[in-house]
Amino acid sequence: MTPRLLNDREKKTVRIAGIGVAIYLVLFGGYEAWQHFDQKRREYRALADEARDLRQQTLPYQEKVLVVKKLMDEFHLDPARLKRDTVVSDASAAIQKAAKAGGLQLGSIRETPAHSAGKTLASVQLEGSGPAPAVLSFLAGLNIIGYPLVVDSVQFTADNRPGQVKMNLIILILDFDQQQEAGHA
Amino acid sequence: MKINSLLHPPPVFVEFGPGWLRAQRGLERVELPLECAPSGRLTGLGKEKIIAALKDFNQARNWQPRARAWCAISSRGVSVRRLSLPNGNKEEFHQRLLLQIEAEFPLPPGELAWGCLPLNQPQPANGAAGKQELLVAAVKKDGLAEYHEILQAAGLEPVFILAAMARRQLCAPPTGSFALLDIGTTQSELTIFENALPAASRILFWDGRNASQPEAADLNALAQGIKGIQGLEAGLNGTKLFVSGNGIAREFTERLTQSLGNGCQCERLEAGPVDSGSAALAGLAKFASPGAAPGLTIRLEPGGSNGSATRWAAWDWKKWGARAGALVAAALILPYAEALLLTPHLQRTVAAFKTEAKRLEMIDRELDFLRNLKLSQPPYVDLLYVFSQSAPPGTRFDSLSLNSHGEVSLRAAFHDGQQVADFRNQLITSGFFTNVVVEEQAPTPDRQRVTVRMSALEKPAPQLQLASAMLAMADRNKAATKAASPPPARKESP
């Protein structure tokens, strides 16, 4: 059975319908493609805005980094490298080493752990004696021995020996980690 | 230099002859046949071939401006007249010139391509406007328009000059009267110059194929042809005749002089150090040099009133429309293409920023910690220095206590109460202390000294910093004064 041949009118109808379908497909496909690419573009714009904001946030840090570097150089100290477990013993050893190097005779040394809520790890009470210039040098050099130390109190008394001074210091060792947590809170 | 040559492409020199076209660009040269219909007009196919060949020869890029084409046209069909016009404003003068051209030339100005060369500066006399002398050269527009069309289509900007004017450039100081004879294969061109300006020009039909072999050439026929030109025979007597042409030898000019026998001296026209094969092309090359310009150029629209219309008509709308369309399409597509192409890179950048942001928190903490450490450092050394500077000689300190809360206490022994008062005043004026209190003052049992127990408070941190700075400055000034003052003179013992 052979299929019936289409007459001219039917051929024209089929041709017009084909053109209509083609136009619909082109328009629909084009719209879909445009939607897809437009969505991509909006995502890209959002990403670009985010990148710009992040960049704006980092700009002030160029100056902050310079200040941090200057302070680290001034104190000979890198806080990020301090180990909480050993910083007290290391600092105490460094203090005693600096005193001996300056020609001071050390007396009793007492370490006291800090209160839990404080920003200090421990305090060190130190007694010693020596010539007045050596005592002053030791006092001036305590902040550059590489540990976060603050001299809480200092007491000088006269020694019986001429030119000699007795001193009694209370030195606080600051806790970097404690400050970090306080900063977080 | 390279950019300049890109923006200003080198000129092309073109010579149009009977049935041929020669073009030269630098050292490259090409000769193309001009295919003419029986009417004398160029055939369409011939035009296309010429345009294609010239495009290939020119090698112009689309973005480059058109190269200037200096074109020499033969004097066939060209009329040269000297005109004298009363001077006036530009419009009036142009109108008068058109009327004069219409009167002097066989065709109306609209059907002519023409150019003019002012010969003098008009001098007004007795209240009347001065006369302006002009040399006008005109040719039927149709033929030149075809050449113009071909050259434009090949990407060139043509400027038409009489070939005789170009050849004249090769004559050593062209003054007075002389003649130029250019020998061609089928026809030759004779131009008479008076005061270095073309006065008349004729075409001679003479077989010039044997010009390089004077013994074989019929020079007598050529001489007869030259002498037979009506109206020019008087102008040639006793003048110099420069002869140019392909392969012209010295013997040719000598024999031509003999053949003419009217006192006219023939001389070979030297084409210059580089043999261009054509005296006209060699002469055109001289116009292209800086500062040189042909005096008389022939233009299709000399009035220039519809120049912009011509330019618009010559505008390649299809090409520029396609370029504009491409630009618009690029402007529309680029934002989407940017999103597709750059998103991965931007994602990496954002990820890097976020990683960096974690480090920034650490920097903040370190900065806070170090600032806090710096602010917590009590200025003990400065305070001890103030004590040492304030205490009078002979003072004995039994004890001195300082703490980070700013509390100061001391026990000391002075000579008398006045020294105690002075010491207290010194501490106050130093700017470091406030609330300086003498808690207890008592004489020693031997009444020789006074023991004192004092307390004080440090000032707040900003005031302490200021006081420290003042102290450092005072010390520097003191040291400078000490260094500047001369040492005390030693007293000599009697």
Side-chain angles (χ1 to χ4, degrees):
Chain A
M1 186 178 173
T2 57
R4 184 174 67 83
L5 292 174
L6 299 176
N7 61 31
D8 288 347
R9 186 183 172 82
E10 287 167 338
K11 280 180 184 172
K12 190 177 176 185
T13 306
V14 168
R15 200 176 297 130
I16 290 170
I19 291 169
V21 169
I23 289 172
Y24 169 76
L25 285 175
V26 166
L27 288 178
F28 181 74
Y31 178 73
E32 286 289 314
W34 179 78
Q35 285 247 313
H36 171 73
F37 286 121
D38 196 51
Q39 176 65 25
K40 287 276 179 195
R41 193 168 75 95
R42 270 184 272 140
E43 286 171 8
Y44 173 75
R45 292 283 294 274
L47 204 58
D49 288 345
E50 189 181 357
R52 192 169 52 247
D53 290 346
L54 285 168
R55 187 180 163 76
Q56 289 291 332
Q57 283 175 22
T58 57
L59 281 178
Y61 281 86
Q62 292 174 355
E63 192 182 338
K64 282 186 180 179
V65 165
L66 290 177
V67 176
V68 167
K69 193 168 183 309
K70 181 175 175 289
L71 289 171
M72 282 165 64
D73 289 343
E74 192 177 318
F75 287 108
H76 296 191
L77 169 67
D78 183 356
R81 289 189 181 175
L82 295 175
K83 291 176 183 167
R84 197 167 194 269
D85 298 337
T86 59
V87 68
V88 174
S89 61
D90 292 346
S92 179
I95 291 167
Q96 292 177 45
K97 190 178 170 188
K100 283 177 185 169
L104 298 181
Q105 289 181 345
L106 290 176
S108 62
I109 299 170
R110 284 188 285 277
E111 289 179 13
T112 313
H115 304 295
S116 58
K119 288 183 182 179
T120 55
L121 272 173
S123 65
V124 179
Q125 188 175 359
L126 185 78
E127 288 178 6
S129 65
V135 170
L136 287 176
S137 297
F138 172 68
L139 199 60
L142 272 178
N143 59 356
I144 56 167
I145 62 171
Y147 293 93
L149 306 178
V150 173
V151 180
D152 187 49
S153 74
V154 54
Q155 185 178 10
F156 299 105
T157 50
D159 198 350
N160 292 332
R161 292 168 292 175
Q164 299 280 312
V165 177
K166 283 184 182 173
M167 69 167 185
N168 188 340
L169 295 181
I170 296 177
I171 301 169
L172 304 178
I173 302 171
L174 300 186
D175 185 2
F176 178 58
D177 293 335
Q178 187 72 28
Q179 188 167 346
Q180 268 185 273
E181 285 159 20
H184 273 303
Chain B
M1 199 66 186
K2 278 186 175 179
I3 290 172
N4 193 38
S5 64
L6 285 174
L7 294 178
H8 300 95
V12 176
F13 306 109
V14 183
E15 182 184 8
F16 288 96
W20 50 263
L21 171 157
R22 283 193 196 117
Q24 183 177 325
R25 182 170 175 269
L27 296 174
E28 293 175 45
R29 219 175 296 157
V30 67
E31 182 165 335
L32 304 168
L34 295 173
E35 293 176 13
C36 296
S39 63
R41 306 289 297 270
L42 297 174
T43 61
L45 188 63
K47 277 186 192 175
E48 284 175 14
K49 283 181 188 171
I50 294 279
I51 290 168
L54 280 177
K55 272 185 179 172
D56 187 44
F57 177 71
N58 187 28
Q59 294 179 341
R61 276 114 179 135
N62 284 339
W63 49 268
Q64 276 185 316
R66 289 168 180 270
R68 174 69 57 88
W70 296 93
C71 306
I73 57 170
S74 86
S75 61
R76 188 170 189 183
V78 178
S79 303
V80 180
R81 301 278 190 280
R82 270 176 183 263
L83 303 180
S84 179
L85 292 172
N87 202 16
N89 67 36
K90 197 176 173 184
E91 282 296 316
E92 285 174 358
F93 186 79
H94 187 68
Q95 288 301 323
R96 282 186 205 132
L97 180 58
L98 290 178
L99 287 171
Q100 194 78 356
I101 288 170
E102 192 155 13
E104 292 281 340
F105 290 88
L107 290 171
E111 294 178 26
L112 292 172
W114 57 274
C116 63
L117 174 68
L119 299 178
N120 66 334
Q121 286 294 327
Q123 298 291 333
N126 299 329
K131 289 271 187 180
Q132 172 74 68
E133 295 281 333
L134 293 168
L135 181 72
V136 179
V139 64
K140 202 175 173 186
K141 189 187 269 184
D142 296 350
L144 210 61
E146 281 187 319
Y147 296 161
H148 190 273
E149 183 190 337
I150 288 170
L151 294 168
Q152 280 268 341
L156 296 165
E157 191 62 46
V159 177
F160 294 101
I161 302 161
L162 283 176
M165 293 286 278
R167 290 184 201 112
R168 192 200 68 174
Q169 292 298 108
L170 302 179
C171 302
T175 55
S177 295
F178 58 94
L180 278 177
L181 175 65
D182 185 64
I183 305 291
T185 51
T186 57
Q187 61 186 46
S188 303
E189 186 180 322
L190 176 69
T191 309
I192 309 289
F193 283 83
E194 288 175 5
N195 296 325
L197 291 169
S201 191
R202 295 288 186 276
I203 298 294
L204 296 169
F205 292 95
W206 179 74
D207 186 3
R209 279 172 293 189
N210 294 326
S212 55
Q213 300 165 327
E215 62 281 0
D218 187 1
L219 292 182
N220 286 330
L222 178 62
Q224 289 302 318
I226 292 170
K227 287 194 283 188
I229 297 172
Q230 289 183 349
L232 296 187
E233 61 271 39
L236 282 170
N237 287 341
T239 58
K240 187 169 273 188
L241 176 63
F242 293 99
V243 183
S244 63
N246 196 14
I248 295 295
R250 184 179 297 277
E251 195 183 349
F252 181 95
T253 54
E254 287 169 358
R255 289 190 59 186
L256 185 58
T257 303
Q258 289 171 4
S259 298
L260 283 169
N262 58 358
C264 183
Q265 291 294 318
C266 298
E267 189 178 309
R268 194 162 61 101
L269 193 64
E270 300 293 342
V274 178
D275 179 21
S276 63
S278 161
L281 291 179
L284 286 175
K286 294 206 169 188
F287 287 135
S289 56
L296 183 60
T297 58
I298 298 174
R299 298 194 292 173
L300 290 172
E301 302 292 342
S305 56
N306 56 353
S308 59
T310 309
R311 279 199 295 276
W312 281 114
W315 191 266
D316 191 346
W317 289 102
K318 194 176 172 184
K319 186 167 81 177
W320 286 102
R323 287 177 182 177
L327 270 178
V328 170
L332 289 172
I333 290 170
L334 266 179
Y336 299 98
E338 182 192 12
L340 284 177
L341 294 172
L342 297 185
T343 298
H345 169 71
L346 202 58
Q347 280 170 342
R348 283 196 296 273
T349 308
V350 168
F353 271 132
K354 282 180 177 168
T355 312
E356 197 75 6
K358 286 177 188 164
R359 250 174 47 80
L360 298 182
E361 288 174 14
M362 188 66 178
I363 290 170
D364 273 337
R365 281 185 222 129
E366 284 185 353
L367 182 62
D368 288 345
F369 180 75
L370 289 166
R371 274 184 177 157
N372 186 36
L373 181 62
K374 188 170 175 66
L375 289 174
S376 306
Q377 297 293 329
Y380 293 136
V381 177
D382 286 347
L383 297 180
L384 291 172
Y385 180 74
V386 171
F387 280 121
S388 69
Q389 293 293 308
S390 306
T395 306
R396 174 190 166 82
F397 283 93
D398 294 323
S399 72
L400 174 61
S401 297
L402 308 162
N403 67 26
S404 59
H405 303 293
E407 296 163 353
V408 180
S409 63
L410 63 91
R411 277 174 60 89
F414 294 87
H415 278 298
D416 51 32
Q418 184 58 44
Q419 281 193 342
V420 176
D422 290 344
F423 178 66
R424 178 153 74 167
N425 283 338
Q426 290 273 356
L427 292 183
I428 293 168
T429 53
S430 69
F432 280 83
F433 300 101
T434 183
N435 288 352
V436 182
V437 177
V438 178
E439 292 178 346
E440 186 184 348
Q441 179 177 337
T444 52
D446 58 359
R447 303 279 175 181
Q448 295 293 313
R449 297 175 76 86
V450 177
T451 57
V452 174
R453 190 157 54 86
M454 294 176 74
S455 70
L457 284 176
E458 290 171 19
K459 284 190 173 177
Q463 292 180 35
L464 279 181
Q465 285 177 357
L466 180 66
S468 291
M470 298 284 287
L471 187 65
M473 197 165 70
D475 277 354
R476 274 199 300 273
N477 289 342
K478 205 183 285 180
T481 311
K482 195 175 177 182
S485 61
R490 297 178 73 183
K491 286 181 183 175
E492 290 185 8
S493 56

